[in-house]
Amino acid sequence: MKLATVAGAPSSGKTSVILKAAEGLKAAGWKLGVVKFDCLSSEDAKRYTAAGVAVKTGLAGSLCPDHFFITNIEACVQWGRSHGLDLLISESAGLCNRCSPHIKGVLAVCVVDNLSGVNTPRKIGPMLKTADVVVITKGDIVSQAEREVFTFRVKQVNPRAAVLPVNGLSGQGALLLERRLQAASDVESLVNARLRFAMPAALCSYCLGETRIGSDCQVGNIKMMDLE
Amino acid sequence: MPNKELTAKEMMTRDAAGEDLLRQSAERLLAERPYIRDFFAAFGLPTMERRQTAGDVFDGLDAERLEDLGVTREQLAERFSAFIEKMESFRREGIASVREVSIIGGRDKDGRPEDVRLDLRTGEVIAVVGPTGAGKSLLLSDIECLAQGDTPSGRRILIDGEPPDEAARLSGEQRLVAQLSQNMNFVMDLSVREFVALHAESRLVEDVDAVVERIFTAAVRLSGEPFRLETPVTALSGGQSRALMIADVACLSVSPIVLIDEIENAGVDRRQALDLLVKREKIVLIATHDPLLALSSDRRMVVKNGGIVAVLDSSPEERAVLGQLQALDDGLSLLRSQIRGGLRLDCDLMGLLAAQDREAGL
């Protein structure tokens, strides 16, 4: 079974883009599955089911969605294999810009949208900077100049990535993403595989449910701002 | 002891003279490659002192800082060379340009063969006509993804007579089509000057101010209503926005093909817009049902049921009527400016046209 991780900010168009690429793959006879990782709720499972894509939803709740994702991905891979999928896509929302969901040896896709502003590529960390393919959406509503500047900025922070504009509504450009997904590597198990970059660190008292404020209450992995 | 891998990495960051760019002083490095400032800005790195090298800066970063940046020190050095490689390839991109794009027919929506080979050359204007749903977007999409018989239409796209390199195609390197449509807006909160300068910088233009001035002058000429370099782009009228987008695409876009989706008549001098794009050696595809625009083009491609069914040159009869169409269009422009100026309409339309004919005859 082939595996790909797709990550991007909320509402950047991940689901629409995956569905557009899925159309072509399904037409070519591929059996597809998606694991949708989200935080509190997700309605996207319905869209996948309607498109004939097997889907599982994982809600991280109060946990860091990245940590939740990586502790569950191996089980998801085995779920996909037991269902005879040709390709499994993990779709996760990069809720903080320090997200780092990409795995060595697994096709890594990051979705960013033109509306997020030209400084956004510089603000996103490993999710964008370590991706193999960067999909840029919502190009149909901004000017050519803005599309070109945005693409340029993405290539500056990740010069090695393929940068593909895809229109999540019309599907324009989805073909090239489809081709990249077809070429994803086969994965039997992720045990002993490694993340491309360490995930955001956590483990302070607030991770464990602390709600009070003040230096007496903050323990663990904490970092103070320098306001001088 | 440097191992093999490290040596390979160092190779990538050498300049033409074989000098290691990681160990070159900021003074020299930035003089020859000013874009390296962007690398430091993009990664939020401290700026280099004149005598410092990029390597010095990387070495000076502590573990916590690297963690914040989301990269390791090795990755940073690797990225530095990849960045330089990419920027140098952008520089070259400006020079090597496409002369001809060919569309080799596939099949229409019913699988009937599309028996056509169409060579589009720079400086040519081609109208694309056909009702909504006829397959205009499909055609554009085929060109944009450099179809190689692997899209529903089965079409193939050649660049200067050759199929594109598959690896380059899958990396999205070659952007053939710049697109302009009425749904497109400026979303950046910048003045016209800042906006165009940002685009010029991303094209690694040497004299940014001169390019800004040229685009601004062209845009004001295309738009009926003047605006200023300090005007925020989001405050421009529809016509002014379109004029700025056209002038910007003509002068700065890397894509050889410009697709214009029906420019509205109001606010933009469409003939001048086409002239500007042609002068800048673009291949102009214009989706339009406007007779004047269709006849101003060199050829018109008729799209129906997902296929190209005909490519028409303007007939002598059609060309003969072009003058009259032009006069009608000018007449309408005049009336439009009367309305805009708060005047009463000049209701003697025939007299108006005759006056224009006389003027044109002088």
Side-chain angles (χ1 to χ4, degrees):
Chain A
M1 183 187 71
K2 292 175 184 297
L3 177 67
T5 53
V6 176
S11 302
S12 55
K14 296 178 292 299
T15 304
S16 299
V17 161
I18 294 171
L19 282 170
K20 286 296 172 194
E23 281 176 21
L25 292 170
K26 279 193 68 77
W30 284 51
K31 201 170 168 198
L32 302 178
V34 169
V35 182
K36 168 90 190 183
F37 288 96
D38 219 319
C39 202
L40 297 174
S41 73
S42 174
E43 298 290 312
D44 291 332
K46 288 178 198 155
R47 295 178 65 195
Y48 284 119
T49 307
V53 175
V55 61
K56 283 282 173 199
T57 304
L59 296 178
S62 63
L63 298 180
C64 161
D66 241 17
H67 294 211
F68 175 75
F69 154 79
I70 204 63
T71 46
N72 282 282
I73 189 66
E74 168 62 10
C76 295
V77 166
Q78 298 317 323
W79 167 78
R81 289 184 68 210
S82 69
H83 281 72
L85 300 183
D86 296 306
L87 168 69
L88 177 68
I89 296 172
S90 88
E91 183 199 326
S92 57
L95 296 173
C96 81
N97 284 339
R98 180 52 187 76
C99 263
S100 180
H102 302 312
I103 301 166
K104 287 180 185 166
V106 175
L107 180 73
V109 181
C110 178
V111 181
V112 278
D113 77 82
N114 274 298
L115 286 181
S116 62
V118 286
N119 290 323
T120 297
R122 293 182 175 183
K123 292 181 193 161
I124 307 177
M127 174 167 76
L128 173 66
K129 292 184 176 118
T130 68
D132 302 312
V133 177
V134 180
V135 169
I136 304 183
T137 58
K138 302 184 192 173
D140 54 330
I141 43 182
V142 304
S143 66
Q144 179 70 24
E146 283 156 300
R147 281 192 292 277
E148 290 184 13
V149 173
F150 195 86
T151 304
F152 176 76
R153 295 280 178 98
V154 166
K155 287 179 175 172
Q156 280 194 322
V157 296
N158 189 347
R160 295 261 187 258
V163 180
L164 307 175
V166 178
N167 181 330
L169 300 179
S170 71
Q172 192 174 320
L175 174 81
L176 296 182
L177 174 63
E178 191 186 314
R179 298 286 302 275
R180 298 299 300 230
L181 290 171
Q182 278 176 334
S185 302
D186 286 304
V187 169
E188 286 187 4
S189 162
L190 287 174
V191 174
N192 294 329
R194 279 180 176 271
L195 283 167
R196 296 189 182 201
F197 194 78
M199 288 188 156
L203 220 71
C204 68
S205 42
Y206 295 103
C207 300
L208 301 170
E210 177 62 82
T211 53
R212 291 171 300 163
I213 302 170
S215 56
D216 289 347
C217 312
Q218 48 209 36
V219 191
N221 188 3
I222 57 172
K223 183 167 149 184
M224 305 308 293
M225 280 169 74
D226 181 6
L227 295 171
E228 289 310 306
Chain B
M1 277 304 289
N3 59 25
K4 259 188 186 159
E5 201 186 333
L6 269 176
T7 324
K9 265 181 203 158
E10 282 165 12
M11 293 282 287
M12 278 187 280
T13 48
R14 284 178 196 283
D15 67 4
E19 209 173 314
D20 185 355
L21 294 179
L22 263 178
R23 298 290 158 213
Q24 212 170 61
S25 74
E27 201 170 15
R28 269 196 57 199
L29 192 64
L30 295 177
E32 280 164 33
R33 296 178 167 75
Y35 55 74
I36 287 180
R37 283 195 187 87
D38 275 357
F39 181 84
F40 281 75
F43 279 89
L45 298 169
T47 25
M48 286 183 279
E49 307 289 337
R50 277 178 52 210
R51 296 190 182 284
Q52 247 186 337
T53 69
D56 294 339
V57 175
F58 299 168
D59 291 341
L61 298 169
D62 58 23
E64 198 181 338
R65 190 66 188 266
L66 286 165
E67 161 64 22
D68 288 346
L69 297 174
V71 286
T72 62
R73 203 185 311 274
E74 291 69 39
Q75 281 174 337
L76 198 58
E78 202 272 334
R79 254 143 226 273
F80 180 73
S81 36
F83 178 89
I84 292 173
E85 240 174 79
K86 188 60 126 189
M87 291 301 117
E88 290 298 323
S89 85
F90 281 143
R91 268 191 182 175
R92 288 193 296 275
E93 203 175 34
I95 306 160
S97 61
V98 174
R99 305 295 311 166
E100 184 182 79
V101 174
S102 308
I103 305 167
I104 316 256
R107 52 188 174 266
D108 72 6
K109 282 179 190 163
D110 298 326
R112 273 192 294 265
E114 177 188 43
D115 186 19
V116 69
R117 177 189 165 125
L118 200 56
D119 301 318
L120 313 175
R121 293 177 196 91
T122 50
E124 198 178 16
V125 181
I126 301 103
V128 186
V129 303
T132 309
K136 284 181 286 185
S137 338
L138 203 66
L139 175 70
L140 172 76
S141 186
D142 283 344
I143 300 175
E144 206 179 37
C145 72
L146 300 166
Q148 292 304 309
D150 51 2
T151 64
S153 72
R155 289 187 186 112
R156 288 187 303 126
I157 304 299
L158 306 182
I159 301 172
D160 292 328
E162 304 281 340
D165 176 65
E166 189 64 7
R169 182 182 173 222
L170 291 181
S171 69
E173 282 307 301
Q174 199 147 24
R175 308 290 349 138
L176 274 193
V177 185
Q179 217 174 330
L180 274 163
S181 90
Q182 295 192 46
N183 303 331
M184 288 170 188
N185 291 295
F186 294 121
V187 293
M188 275 185 215
D189 188 14
L190 295 175
S191 69
V192 171
R193 182 198 301 278
E194 292 163 329
F195 181 85
V196 180
L198 193 65
H199 192 195
E201 280 157 18
S202 82
R203 292 300 319 283
L204 307 178
V205 164
E206 308 247 319
D207 191 351
V208 170
D209 289 341
V211 172
V212 170
E213 193 58 45
R214 189 190 315 143
I215 291 175
F216 171 69
T217 312
V220 169
R221 203 178 305 132
L222 293 184
S223 142
E225 309 157 282
F227 53 92
R228 296 179 312 123
L229 271 168
E230 281 63 44
T231 310
V233 287
T234 47
L236 297 174
S237 72
Q240 289 169 331
S241 298
R242 222 58 65 211
L244 180 58
M245 284 184 194
I246 292 167
D248 169 85
V249 161
C251 302
L252 273 180
S253 175
V254 67
S255 303
I257 299 179
V258 179
L259 177 103
I260 305 178
D261 208 352
E262 192 83 64
I263 341 175
E264 58 272 68
N265 208 333
V268 185
D269 187 324
R270 299 178 298 173
R271 266 168 302 144
Q272 269 205 54
L274 291 184
D275 285 347
L276 176 66
L277 291 164
V278 165
K279 230 183 276 158
R280 303 291 303 186
E281 293 291 295
K282 296 289 183 188
I283 297 169
V284 185
L285 293 178
I286 178 159
T288 185
H289 301 144
D290 180 282
L292 185 60
L293 272 185
L295 291 187
S296 314
S297 64
D298 299 297
R299 292 182 281 174
R300 49 191 206 266
M301 196 192 308
V302 185
V303 183
K304 197 176 159 190
N305 195 35
I308 300 168
V309 291
V311 181
L312 304 176
D313 290 316
S314 301
S315 68
E317 291 80 12
E318 285 174 332
R319 273 198 294 275
V321 85
L322 189 59
Q324 278 166 283
L325 280 174
Q326 195 67 69
L328 276 173
D329 194 58
D330 292 344
L332 275 175
S333 298
L334 197 67
L335 296 178
R336 223 177 270 121
S337 66
Q338 287 173 350
I339 295 273
R340 190 184 298 129
L343 305 173
R344 290 258 169 225
L345 280 189
D346 186 341
C347 294
D348 176 16
L349 293 184
M350 295 322 280
L352 194 74
L353 289 178
Q356 277 183 341
D357 276 351
R358 275 198 302 278
E359 212 171 292
L362 281 178

